[in-house]
Amino acid sequence: MRHEPIAAENQVRVPVRPSEPNRDAPAYLRISGVWKSFGDFLALKDVSLDVKEGEFVCFLGPSGCGKTTLLRAIAGLDLQTRGMVVQAGRDISVLPPSKRDYGIVFQSYALFPNLTIEKNIAFGLENTGRPRAEVEARVQELLALVGLASQAKKYPAQLSGGQQQRIALARAMAISPGLLLLDEPLSALDAKVRVHLRHEIKELQRRLGVTTIMVTHDQEEALSMADRIVVMNHGVIEQVGTPTEIYRHPKSLFVADFIGETNKIATKLVDAKRVAFGAGGLRCAENRLAAGAEVTAVIRPVDIIPHAAKASDGEAVGTPENLLEANVVGMEYLGAFWRVRLAAERFGETPLIADFSINAVRRLGIAAGGQMRVEIPAERLLVFARSA
Amino acid sequence: MTFTKSTASSLAVLLLSSSAVLAETQLTVYTSVEAVDLDRYKQTFEAANPDIKINWVRDSTGVMTAKLLAEKNNPQADVVWGIAATSLLLLKGEGMLEAYAPAGVEKLDPKFVDSDTPPSWVGMDAYVAALCYNTVEAEKLGLTPPKSWKDLTKPEYKGHVVMPNPNSSGTGFLDVSAWIQTFGEEDAWKFMDGLHENIAAYTHSGSKPCKMAAAGETVIGVSFEFPGAKAKSSGAPIDIIFPEEGSGWEAEATAIIAGTANLEAAKKLVDWSVTKEANEMYNAGYAVLAYPGIAKPVEHLPADIPTRMIKNDFEWAANNRAKILEEWQKRYDSKSEPKT
Amino acid sequence: MAASAAAVLPPGKTLRQSLDRDDLVKRGLMVVISLYLLFSLAAPLYVMLSKSVSIYCFDLSQFEFQVSDETGANWNAPATAQALNAATGAVPAADLAAGSDSRLAATSFFKDFSFRSPVKYRLRGTSEQTRWLVGSQPGGGITWQEFDSNTFRRVTLRPMQAYGLDNFAAYFGTPALSRSIWNSVLMASLSTVITTAVAFGLAYALSRSLMPFKGFFRLVTALPILVPSLLPGIALVYLFGNQGMLKGLLMGHSIYGPIGIVVGSVFFTLPHAFLIISTALSISDARHYEAAASLRASRWRTFWTVTVPGARYGIISAAFVVFTLVITDFGLPKVIGGQYNMLAVDIYKQVIGQQNFEMGAVVSVILLVPAVVAFAVDRLMQKRQVALLSARAVPYQPKKNPRFDALCFAWCALVALFILTIIGVCQLAALVKLWPYDMSLGLNNFAFDRMDGGGWASYWNSIRLALLTAVFGTVVVFTGAYMVEKTDGFGAGRAAFHFLAMLPMAVPGMVLGLAYIFFFNNPANPLNGIYGTMAILVVCTVTHFYTVAHLTALTALKQIDREFEPVAASLKQPFHKLFFRVTVPVCLPAILDISIYLFVNAMTTVSAVVFLYSTHTQLASVAVLNMDDAGDVAPAAAMGMMIFYTNAGVRILHALFSRVVLKRTQSWRIR
């Protein structure tokens, strides 16, 4: 099996984690059978989930999928209609927010505009019986932690968005909560700052070891930050898994489609390992669907392997029968890679989209109007039952 | 409930009302007497009765009467002082007055004392209907001064007469009631029909027509003698005319509110109100006093006012008040604007 | 995905959040403020409604008579007055309807009555409630009372209280009263058309021209807010009364009546209309004008196709505000209305003049109708305007156009002249010794202690009322608005509270004041203790002006991040810490605006408090009314000017305070 290396900065990177949290540890946060109704509308339908201590979990899904509703239920801000939430062995299902143990950061940062940065951070530390000096020391520590020690006397409006978000984080962490809740913390920031802060937040979380739940609709954010991703849609959890699992082995068409880009081919299953494709078939990843089932076959553009128009000696082909001849209909230069539109009689109406590295395009001489061959790796051609 | 009530009121007092120092006996006295005179009465009375303090609650007769009637089931006043006898009769009809014959009441002119024994109210002085006539404006318009009430219906005065609306002014009602008593019902309404043709405005207050005449806003103000004399003193070019048919009048009177917790103190105040000394003080503004024979003439007013007063039947006036006012409103209020 | 298809909520109990101390405190506060509005608004209005259907009539079945023969020893069978009246027809049914102080002579039932006759009469009631008078002595009860003929002629029967719509029937059956509906609507409509047009002209000139002195004109336009609505009435008397300086301009028409009401109404409603319309004009989109210009549309056409439609919600809203202000105003028609009856004045006349509280309540109910309708329409318009506001528009930049600018300047100068003349004339009247016979200047009109109306004490009372209203009102209003805007759950309670908070705008002051008499002046009411105190004036004034203050607070609170409360809760900090350290400081400008608004209105209000003040709580604004009422017009003008100086002074203080203190406390706003 051979893959073209894809060195695309803005392509999805799937980091390998050396120190994943212990999967056998008992759940720190256990959500079981949670439902939420707004009138007739069911925003959460029987959601159950375990979060381990120290884990960074992302709730990912399109808007209206219920991810924020689930977060607010955990925070006690919008109580679930049914179901139980247990944190650190304590049933917190119906506790008011003030009786729970979490820090929260909102998309709007919600910094108190009339208080200085240090007063904002100290807000949760005052009136707790701590001596003043201790509070001050803790504030300095947190300021240093987020790298804004010099800004202590400034007001929030005098800081940039990214700085404000870091202050919000520091404020939430001030009381050393058992759980950190992040509600779309990066969406209000511009792209560069966002990428930078992703890394910073993740680092901070790892260092402090605080169990963290982040809500996001940005798959890149989820893939790059989370230990585990909870993909939600229409109020249910579609899939829970590590970023690699979610990306490589989506359990549903929705997940496959939502994470990364896909070519979708409506077809029929010939047998357990083959789908019909034009005049012939393609080998696909193994599945348990019955032969003859109506299916959607899915292949990601980055998974399509380019080959020169003419076969050469020593050419490595993983699945020879999945090697297709194609016309290059159009090419789009996207900076780090080329997006290529391919067509052939076999493809039918819809062209196939493939992402090729700049390197590959140069080496194979791929050009619009030309011809080439592409290989669709069988284990990457995922098949999902097509619901009517 | 008692608890909440007292808590609420004491809270309210604590928070919001001026903290009056509590003296021996506090008398709450409702009055319509001229504001300037009140201090003199208070000082004189309190000098003679150092254990009693007077708290004046002062407003116009109409407002005071409305207030007293509104408080019928929960009276706040101990004494009413210097309020129109007709108003007091309304209160008497509600059983709100404590009958009491003050020491020395027999010395008063009987028409200033309630007809029942013991009397429910005793008079202090009287105000008498009069016309205020602006000589400067009259000259400009070439008018001659009226001599009688009936003169007021003459066409030359059209648009130059202002009188108080009897529905909102006690003075207005005393005029109407006097005309009915003097002319007889039928003639009185005929007279008022004629007068209505000449009226420029009906005012809410009884002294305003005179003050309007004093300011030249009108030529003739149907009012009473007191504001006339006052305006004349301050230099307004007016004459005070007492029409020859006789003038309606109203007694200012004093009464004790039934159920007062300070009955003894209240009696002392009423006793004092009928003394010669008190009556002499009323003379400062009023030419006609309840205590006969001691009145000195008031500047700008004739000495013979008592002879110009009609015989006034307060009881009749009080008992027919509602009917008269209804008739008046039917006749003149609805006509006051031309229908379009 | 499979699970989502046919998911249904499993049966079971819906979870309810357990409450922490903060929740309990918040709920407690909300209940307290709701109770406040309930007792200061809803309950009095309800009592007033029930008063309007309380009637008096002579119930003849209540009275029973017995007549003796000439010896006075033998009595005939007792007969009720009803039976006697059926036999003689002496009292027609129409005369049985009555007021609370109506009397019916007992002798009316006996045709051959003679007071000289030796015949004796007996009277008793059929119930303990039966009441009559012997002369002026009250009598009643169910035991026989015997009278000789001479005493019997002095017996008068008294009416009984009952419930029914007779008061309304009587109202509509008395043209003198029901005409006021038409009068009020006519005056309000005329004033609305004129004020809206004048205000539009002003706002248009100030926003679309480059004329000079814009700041000055804005300042002058705001002045009428600082004086009671009575003041223009007084000024008009001096200008156009029989001794008026400009009487000739009226060409023989009298200023007392419709003309005076309309002119005065335009004066005191102008600032309100101007504010609303200029806001509407200032949000118009410049791009529309550019489009019109590129289509070569004439200025006139642009005006009608772009300007007017763009500001239409503002214009409609202003129109309804003016209409409501005029129809519910009491001071102005009282001073200048002459014989032209208006609803608000009728209430006063019925209650103060005739002590007919029931008819006062009837007129109040009738006055509520147009006010509520205008209020409802206005709310509807406001909702639409919000949508318009949220659209991002490019602000319009006026271009130089000397002719147009001159025209605008002339218009503004004319309006400013009108406003300054009114105030200037009052100032002059206050200083002239005896208009028109002694025009020398002096301060004798400021010797209030020599006049009716409460003297200087009333002025200090007004200051006290204004301060208390500003402090107490701001606390109540802001806390209430916070509870509505920033608490979770308890939705029905919050909605009900918001409704109560919006209601005062639809309730005319006279109606509120009268409702307070009925509600608080009742010994059975535990709150009876505040009747006649400064407290009831404060409560009444706060309630009267609640809505605008509430909306101001709400607008400020809506601009605060919704997530502050969750953040504070997650930091385990009590809500009052957040409230006092963040919410209040951030809203400080709005809080100051609210207190100034309440202060100025407490200084100028007449309508609600005119029924509620007592001797120790006489007010300057009411003193203006009473002095004018008593014919002391010049002192009334002087007191009106005192109110003006005070309000102007407080406004200036507010401006200075805003500059100095807000600069320090709001430094965080500067980036």
Side-chain angles (χ1 to χ4, degrees), chain A residues 35 76 79 81-82 94-95 98 100 108 111 113-114 123-124 126 175, chain C residues 8 10 12 15 17-18 20 561 564 570 572-573 577 581 585 668 671:
Chain A
W35 294 72
L79 206 69
T81 315
R82 304 268 191 289
V94 296
L95 291 186
S98 61
R100 303 188 183 202
S108 65
L111 292 179
N114 62 321
F123 195 84
E126 295 162 352
I175 55 168
Chain C
V8 275
L15 297 179
Q17 197 151 41
S18 58
D20 61 4
D561 201 322
F564 284 179
S570 77
K572 307 202 172 14
Q573 295 300 317
K577 182 177 167 192
R581 283 203 53 196
W668 51 267
R671 277 167 188 273

mmCIF file of all heavy atoms in Angstrom, chain A residues 35 76 79 81-82 94-95 98 100 108 111 113-114 123-124 126 175, chain C residues 8 10 12 15 17-18 20 561 564 570 572-573 577 581 585 668 671:
data_model
loop_
_atom_site.group_PDB
_atom_site.id
_atom_site.type_symbol
_atom_site.label_atom_id
_atom_site.label_comp_id
_atom_site.label_asym_id
_atom_site.label_seq_id
_atom_site.Cartn_x
_atom_site.Cartn_y
_atom_site.Cartn_z
ATOM 1 N N TRP A 35 -32.163 13.704 28.079
ATOM 2 C CA TRP A 35 -33.112 14.227 27.091
ATOM 3 C C TRP A 35 -33.323 15.707 27.393
ATOM 4 O O TRP A 35 -33.271 16.119 28.542
ATOM 5 C CB TRP A 35 -34.471 13.541 27.185
ATOM 6 C CG TRP A 35 -34.471 12.085 26.836
ATOM 7 C CD1 TRP A 35 -33.953 11.066 27.576
ATOM 8 C CD2 TRP A 35 -35.019 11.496 25.667
ATOM 9 N NE1 TRP A 35 -34.132 9.883 26.939
ATOM 10 C CE2 TRP A 35 -34.796 10.102 25.759
ATOM 11 C CE3 TRP A 35 -35.681 11.999 24.542
ATOM 12 C CZ2 TRP A 35 -35.214 9.219 24.775
ATOM 13 C CZ3 TRP A 35 -36.108 11.114 23.570
ATOM 14 C CH2 TRP A 35 -35.864 9.737 23.673
ATOM 15 N N GLY A 76 -25.523 23.111 34.153
ATOM 16 C CA GLY A 76 -26.691 23.462 34.973
ATOM 17 C C GLY A 76 -27.323 24.763 34.542
ATOM 18 O O GLY A 76 -28.107 25.358 35.277
ATOM 19 N N LEU A 79 -31.398 23.132 32.375
ATOM 20 C CA LEU A 79 -31.504 21.789 32.932
ATOM 21 C C LEU A 79 -32.086 20.822 31.914
ATOM 22 O O LEU A 79 -33.033 21.161 31.200
ATOM 23 C CB LEU A 79 -32.386 21.822 34.179
ATOM 24 C CG LEU A 79 -32.088 20.703 35.170
ATOM 25 C CD1 LEU A 79 -30.723 20.925 35.795
ATOM 26 C CD2 LEU A 79 -33.150 20.652 36.244
ATOM 27 N N THR A 81 -34.249 17.664 30.538
ATOM 28 C CA THR A 81 -35.610 17.290 30.913
ATOM 29 C C THR A 81 -35.623 15.943 31.640
ATOM 30 O O THR A 81 -36.371 15.728 32.579
ATOM 31 C CB THR A 81 -36.498 17.227 29.649
ATOM 32 O OG1 THR A 81 -36.219 18.373 28.853
ATOM 33 C CG2 THR A 81 -37.973 17.225 30.005
ATOM 34 N N ARG A 82 -34.811 15.020 31.124
ATOM 35 C CA ARG A 82 -34.668 13.717 31.771
ATOM 36 C C ARG A 82 -33.190 13.384 31.800
ATOM 37 O O ARG A 82 -32.416 13.896 30.996
ATOM 38 C CB ARG A 82 -35.356 12.614 30.955
ATOM 39 C CG ARG A 82 -36.816 12.823 30.658
ATOM 40 C CD ARG A 82 -37.700 12.182 31.712
ATOM 41 N NE ARG A 82 -39.066 12.166 31.278
ATOM 42 C CZ ARG A 82 -39.843 13.244 31.181
ATOM 43 N NH1 ARG A 82 -39.354 14.422 31.505
ATOM 44 N NH2 ARG A 82 -41.087 13.148 30.775
ATOM 45 N N VAL A 94 -29.509 17.923 39.157
ATOM 46 C CA VAL A 94 -30.417 19.060 39.331
ATOM 47 C C VAL A 94 -29.777 20.178 40.150
ATOM 48 O O VAL A 94 -30.459 21.106 40.576
ATOM 49 C CB VAL A 94 -31.740 18.626 40.001
ATOM 50 C CG1 VAL A 94 -32.503 17.670 39.103
ATOM 51 C CG2 VAL A 94 -31.488 17.997 41.368
ATOM 52 N N LEU A 95 -28.471 20.113 40.335
ATOM 53 C CA LEU A 95 -27.839 21.167 41.142
ATOM 54 C C LEU A 95 -27.797 22.484 40.369
ATOM 55 O O LEU A 95 -27.645 22.493 39.152
ATOM 56 C CB LEU A 95 -26.415 20.759 41.520
ATOM 57 C CG LEU A 95 -26.264 19.617 42.504
ATOM 58 C CD1 LEU A 95 -24.791 19.439 42.870
ATOM 59 C CD2 LEU A 95 -27.093 19.857 43.758
ATOM 60 N N SER A 98 -24.090 27.160 40.730
ATOM 61 C CA SER A 98 -23.148 27.538 41.789
ATOM 62 C C SER A 98 -22.733 26.351 42.657
ATOM 63 O O SER A 98 -21.732 26.413 43.345
ATOM 64 C CB SER A 98 -23.780 28.614 42.661
ATOM 65 O OG SER A 98 -24.955 28.111 43.266
ATOM 66 N N ARG A 100 -22.140 23.355 41.376
ATOM 67 C CA ARG A 100 -21.363 22.411 40.568
ATOM 68 C C ARG A 100 -19.904 22.839 40.581
ATOM 69 O O ARG A 100 -19.571 23.906 41.103
ATOM 70 C CB ARG A 100 -21.913 22.371 39.141
ATOM 71 C CG ARG A 100 -23.385 21.991 39.120
ATOM 72 C CD ARG A 100 -23.917 21.758 37.725
ATOM 73 N NE ARG A 100 -25.355 21.469 37.827
ATOM 74 C CZ ARG A 100 -26.050 20.820 36.914
ATOM 75 N NH1 ARG A 100 -25.480 20.376 35.816
ATOM 76 N NH2 ARG A 100 -27.338 20.601 37.075
ATOM 77 N N SER A 108 -18.169 34.763 23.776
ATOM 78 C CA SER A 108 -18.084 36.216 23.934
ATOM 79 C C SER A 108 -17.062 36.621 24.992
ATOM 80 O O SER A 108 -16.945 37.794 25.281
ATOM 81 C CB SER A 108 -19.453 36.738 24.348
ATOM 82 O OG SER A 108 -19.781 36.222 25.629
ATOM 83 N N LEU A 111 -15.999 38.873 29.681
ATOM 84 C CA LEU A 111 -15.161 39.541 30.680
ATOM 85 C C LEU A 111 -15.927 40.740 31.220
ATOM 86 O O LEU A 111 -16.672 41.385 30.490
ATOM 87 C CB LEU A 111 -13.850 40.002 30.057
ATOM 88 C CG LEU A 111 -12.893 38.885 29.640
ATOM 89 C CD1 LEU A 111 -11.647 39.481 29.018
ATOM 90 C CD2 LEU A 111 -12.526 38.011 30.836
ATOM 91 N N PRO A 113 -16.447 44.267 31.846
ATOM 92 C CA PRO A 113 -15.762 45.343 31.127
ATOM 93 C C PRO A 113 -15.220 46.433 32.043
ATOM 94 O O PRO A 113 -14.292 47.140 31.686
ATOM 95 C CB PRO A 113 -16.839 45.902 30.200
ATOM 96 C CG PRO A 113 -18.127 45.543 30.854
ATOM 97 C CD PRO A 113 -17.890 44.251 31.566
ATOM 98 N N ASN A 114 -15.827 46.588 33.224
ATOM 99 C CA ASN A 114 -15.426 47.694 34.084
ATOM 100 C C ASN A 114 -14.383 47.276 35.117
ATOM 101 O O ASN A 114 -14.020 48.062 35.977
ATOM 102 C CB ASN A 114 -16.646 48.270 34.791
ATOM 103 C CG ASN A 114 -17.315 47.246 35.678
ATOM 104 O OD1 ASN A 114 -17.415 46.089 35.310
ATOM 105 N ND2 ASN A 114 -17.761 47.656 36.843
ATOM 106 N N PHE A 123 -11.974 37.707 40.493
ATOM 107 C CA PHE A 123 -13.402 37.753 40.827
ATOM 108 C C PHE A 123 -13.871 36.516 41.600
ATOM 109 O O PHE A 123 -14.611 36.606 42.559
ATOM 110 C CB PHE A 123 -14.226 37.914 39.542
ATOM 111 C CG PHE A 123 -15.649 38.330 39.781
ATOM 112 C CD1 PHE A 123 -15.975 39.661 39.942
ATOM 113 C CD2 PHE A 123 -16.672 37.384 39.859
ATOM 114 C CE1 PHE A 123 -17.289 40.052 40.172
ATOM 115 C CE2 PHE A 123 -17.981 37.774 40.091
ATOM 116 C CZ PHE A 123 -18.283 39.110 40.248
ATOM 117 N N GLY A 124 -13.427 35.351 41.123
ATOM 118 C CA GLY A 124 -13.882 34.115 41.769
ATOM 119 C C GLY A 124 -13.100 33.765 43.024
ATOM 120 O O GLY A 124 -13.453 32.831 43.737
ATOM 121 N N GLU A 126 -12.177 36.156 45.405
ATOM 122 C CA GLU A 126 -12.537 36.999 46.538
ATOM 123 C C GLU A 126 -13.688 36.358 47.300
ATOM 124 O O GLU A 126 -14.413 35.521 46.779
ATOM 125 C CB GLU A 126 -12.955 38.379 46.025
ATOM 126 C CG GLU A 126 -11.802 39.118 45.368
ATOM 127 C CD GLU A 126 -12.283 40.252 44.498
ATOM 128 O OE1 GLU A 126 -13.494 40.361 44.281
ATOM 129 O OE2 GLU A 126 -11.427 41.016 44.021
ATOM 130 N N ILE A 175 -10.319 29.251 40.088
ATOM 131 C CA ILE A 175 -10.831 28.528 41.251
ATOM 132 C C ILE A 175 -10.496 27.036 41.177
ATOM 133 O O ILE A 175 -11.058 26.238 41.921
ATOM 134 C CB ILE A 175 -12.353 28.726 41.390
ATOM 135 C CG1 ILE A 175 -13.058 28.311 40.092
ATOM 136 C CG2 ILE A 175 -12.689 30.168 41.733
ATOM 137 C CD1 ILE A 175 -14.558 28.190 40.241
ATOM 138 N N VAL C 8 -39.097 9.456 21.133
ATOM 139 C CA VAL C 8 -40.077 10.181 21.940
ATOM 140 C C VAL C 8 -39.532 10.271 23.361
ATOM 141 O O VAL C 8 -38.865 9.359 23.844
ATOM 142 C CB VAL C 8 -41.455 9.488 21.986
ATOM 143 C CG1 VAL C 8 -42.285 9.879 20.784
ATOM 144 C CG2 VAL C 8 -41.290 7.986 22.097
ATOM 145 N N PRO C 10 -39.125 9.792 26.960
ATOM 146 C CA PRO C 10 -39.653 8.730 27.820
ATOM 147 C C PRO C 10 -40.528 9.323 28.919
ATOM 148 O O PRO C 10 -40.327 10.477 29.308
ATOM 149 C CB PRO C 10 -38.395 8.087 28.407
ATOM 150 C CG PRO C 10 -37.344 9.133 28.298
ATOM 151 C CD PRO C 10 -37.679 9.962 27.101
ATOM 152 N N GLY C 12 -42.014 10.094 32.576
ATOM 153 C CA GLY C 12 -41.283 10.354 33.813
ATOM 154 C C GLY C 12 -41.425 11.807 34.190
ATOM 155 O O GLY C 12 -42.058 12.593 33.477
ATOM 156 N N LEU C 15 -37.297 17.110 35.170
ATOM 157 C CA LEU C 15 -36.405 17.513 36.255
ATOM 158 C C LEU C 15 -36.586 18.979 36.583
ATOM 159 O O LEU C 15 -36.815 19.800 35.707
ATOM 160 C CB LEU C 15 -34.953 17.250 35.848
ATOM 161 C CG LEU C 15 -34.583 15.788 35.597
ATOM 162 C CD1 LEU C 15 -33.127 15.689 35.186
ATOM 163 C CD2 LEU C 15 -34.843 14.955 36.837
ATOM 164 N N GLN C 17 -34.659 22.122 38.704
ATOM 165 C CA GLN C 17 -33.389 22.456 39.328
ATOM 166 C C GLN C 17 -33.616 22.779 40.807
ATOM 167 O O GLN C 17 -34.572 23.465 41.161
ATOM 168 C CB GLN C 17 -32.783 23.675 38.630
ATOM 169 C CG GLN C 17 -31.317 23.854 38.911
ATOM 170 C CD GLN C 17 -30.625 24.538 37.742
ATOM 171 O OE1 GLN C 17 -31.164 25.460 37.160
ATOM 172 N NE2 GLN C 17 -29.450 24.082 37.387
ATOM 173 N N SER C 18 -32.738 22.263 41.634
ATOM 174 C CA SER C 18 -32.826 22.684 43.028
ATOM 175 C C SER C 18 -32.299 24.107 43.103
ATOM 176 O O SER C 18 -31.483 24.523 42.289
ATOM 177 C CB SER C 18 -31.986 21.758 43.904
ATOM 178 O OG SER C 18 -30.661 21.757 43.466
ATOM 179 N N ASP C 20 -30.485 27.459 44.716
ATOM 180 C CA ASP C 20 -29.494 27.868 45.701
ATOM 181 C C ASP C 20 -29.967 29.164 46.356
ATOM 182 O O ASP C 20 -31.039 29.676 46.041
ATOM 183 C CB ASP C 20 -28.106 28.003 45.075
ATOM 184 C CG ASP C 20 -28.077 29.050 43.983
ATOM 185 O OD1 ASP C 20 -29.110 29.717 43.775
ATOM 186 O OD2 ASP C 20 -27.033 29.195 43.334
ATOM 187 N N ASP C 561 -23.592 41.527 28.354
ATOM 188 C CA ASP C 561 -23.431 40.124 27.984
ATOM 189 C C ASP C 561 -24.316 39.212 28.846
ATOM 190 O O ASP C 561 -24.299 39.290 30.072
ATOM 191 C CB ASP C 561 -21.956 39.755 28.210
ATOM 192 C CG ASP C 561 -21.571 38.531 27.415
ATOM 193 O OD1 ASP C 561 -22.403 37.613 27.311
ATOM 194 O OD2 ASP C 561 -20.439 38.497 26.901
ATOM 195 N N PHE C 564 -22.663 36.860 31.764
ATOM 196 C CA PHE C 564 -22.071 37.278 33.038
ATOM 197 C C PHE C 564 -22.599 36.458 34.205
ATOM 198 O O PHE C 564 -21.849 36.044 35.082
ATOM 199 C CB PHE C 564 -22.345 38.760 33.307
ATOM 200 C CG PHE C 564 -21.481 39.687 32.497
ATOM 201 C CD1 PHE C 564 -21.618 41.058 32.601
ATOM 202 C CD2 PHE C 564 -20.514 39.182 31.640
ATOM 203 C CE1 PHE C 564 -20.812 41.913 31.864
ATOM 204 C CE2 PHE C 564 -19.714 40.025 30.899
ATOM 205 C CZ PHE C 564 -19.877 41.397 31.010
ATOM 206 N N SER C 570 -20.585 30.119 38.027
ATOM 207 C CA SER C 570 -19.551 29.074 37.949
ATOM 208 C C SER C 570 -18.369 29.416 38.845
ATOM 209 O O SER C 570 -17.661 28.543 39.312
ATOM 210 C CB SER C 570 -19.086 28.900 36.501
ATOM 211 O OG SER C 570 -18.202 29.945 36.138
ATOM 212 N N LYS C 572 -18.840 30.689 41.626
ATOM 213 C CA LYS C 572 -19.427 30.548 42.954
ATOM 214 C C LYS C 572 -19.526 31.883 43.677
ATOM 215 O O LYS C 572 -19.370 31.970 44.888
ATOM 216 C CB LYS C 572 -18.630 29.554 43.797
ATOM 217 C CG LYS C 572 -18.462 28.232 43.063
ATOM 218 C CD LYS C 572 -18.174 27.092 43.936
ATOM 219 C CE LYS C 572 -18.211 25.779 43.191
ATOM 220 N NZ LYS C 572 -18.209 25.872 41.722
ATOM 221 N N GLN C 573 -19.761 32.927 42.887
ATOM 222 C CA GLN C 573 -19.928 34.238 43.499
ATOM 223 C C GLN C 573 -21.414 34.575 43.550
ATOM 224 O O GLN C 573 -22.147 34.308 42.603
ATOM 225 C CB GLN C 573 -19.194 35.301 42.677
ATOM 226 C CG GLN C 573 -17.689 35.100 42.674
ATOM 227 C CD GLN C 573 -17.106 35.165 44.070
ATOM 228 O OE1 GLN C 573 -17.467 36.025 44.867
ATOM 229 N NE2 GLN C 573 -16.224 34.236 44.397
ATOM 230 N N LYS C 577 -22.964 40.290 44.222
ATOM 231 C CA LYS C 577 -21.608 40.798 43.994
ATOM 232 C C LYS C 577 -21.464 41.226 42.533
ATOM 233 O O LYS C 577 -20.958 42.298 42.228
ATOM 234 C CB LYS C 577 -20.580 39.726 44.346
ATOM 235 C CG LYS C 577 -19.158 40.220 44.164
ATOM 236 C CD LYS C 577 -18.144 39.173 44.575
ATOM 237 C CE LYS C 577 -16.761 39.554 44.104
ATOM 238 N NZ LYS C 577 -15.821 38.462 44.240
ATOM 239 N N ARG C 581 -20.891 45.036 41.534
ATOM 240 C CA ARG C 581 -19.545 45.328 41.043
ATOM 241 C C ARG C 581 -19.497 45.476 39.529
ATOM 242 O O ARG C 581 -18.592 46.125 39.008
ATOM 243 C CB ARG C 581 -18.568 44.240 41.493
ATOM 244 C CG ARG C 581 -18.211 44.424 42.956
ATOM 245 C CD ARG C 581 -16.911 43.800 43.314
ATOM 246 N NE ARG C 581 -15.809 44.225 42.455
ATOM 247 C CZ ARG C 581 -14.662 43.566 42.397
ATOM 248 N NH1 ARG C 581 -14.501 42.478 43.112
ATOM 249 N NH2 ARG C 581 -13.690 43.995 41.634
ATOM 250 N N PRO C 585 -22.294 49.375 37.873
ATOM 251 C CA PRO C 585 -21.329 50.312 37.289
ATOM 252 C C PRO C 585 -21.429 50.416 35.765
ATOM 253 O O PRO C 585 -21.345 51.507 35.221
ATOM 254 C CB PRO C 585 -19.971 49.732 37.696
ATOM 255 C CG PRO C 585 -20.245 48.913 38.890
ATOM 256 C CD PRO C 585 -21.629 48.373 38.736
ATOM 257 N N TRP C 668 -13.105 52.576 31.439
ATOM 258 C CA TRP C 668 -12.927 51.289 30.748
ATOM 259 C C TRP C 668 -13.552 51.272 29.372
ATOM 260 O O TRP C 668 -13.300 50.400 28.561
ATOM 261 C CB TRP C 668 -13.506 50.162 31.597
ATOM 262 C CG TRP C 668 -14.910 50.426 32.057
ATOM 263 C CD1 TRP C 668 -15.297 51.001 33.223
ATOM 264 C CD2 TRP C 668 -16.115 50.142 31.344
ATOM 265 N NE1 TRP C 668 -16.650 51.092 33.285
ATOM 266 C CE2 TRP C 668 -17.187 50.571 32.162
ATOM 267 C CE3 TRP C 668 -16.392 49.559 30.099
ATOM 268 C CZ2 TRP C 668 -18.515 50.442 31.772
ATOM 269 C CZ3 TRP C 668 -17.717 49.427 29.714
ATOM 270 C CH2 TRP C 668 -18.751 49.875 30.562
ATOM 271 N N ARG C 671 -10.882 52.697 24.606
ATOM 272 C CA ARG C 671 -9.931 51.675 24.213
ATOM 273 C C ARG C 671 -8.505 52.198 24.280
ATOM 274 O O ARG C 671 -8.242 53.315 23.960
ATOM 275 C CB ARG C 671 -10.225 51.229 22.770
ATOM 276 C CG ARG C 671 -11.301 50.205 22.750
ATOM 277 C CD ARG C 671 -11.824 49.994 21.334
ATOM 278 N NE ARG C 671 -12.994 49.140 21.397
ATOM 279 C CZ ARG C 671 -12.917 47.811 21.386
ATOM 280 N NH1 ARG C 671 -11.757 47.212 21.311
ATOM 281 N NH2 ARG C 671 -14.016 47.103 21.446
#
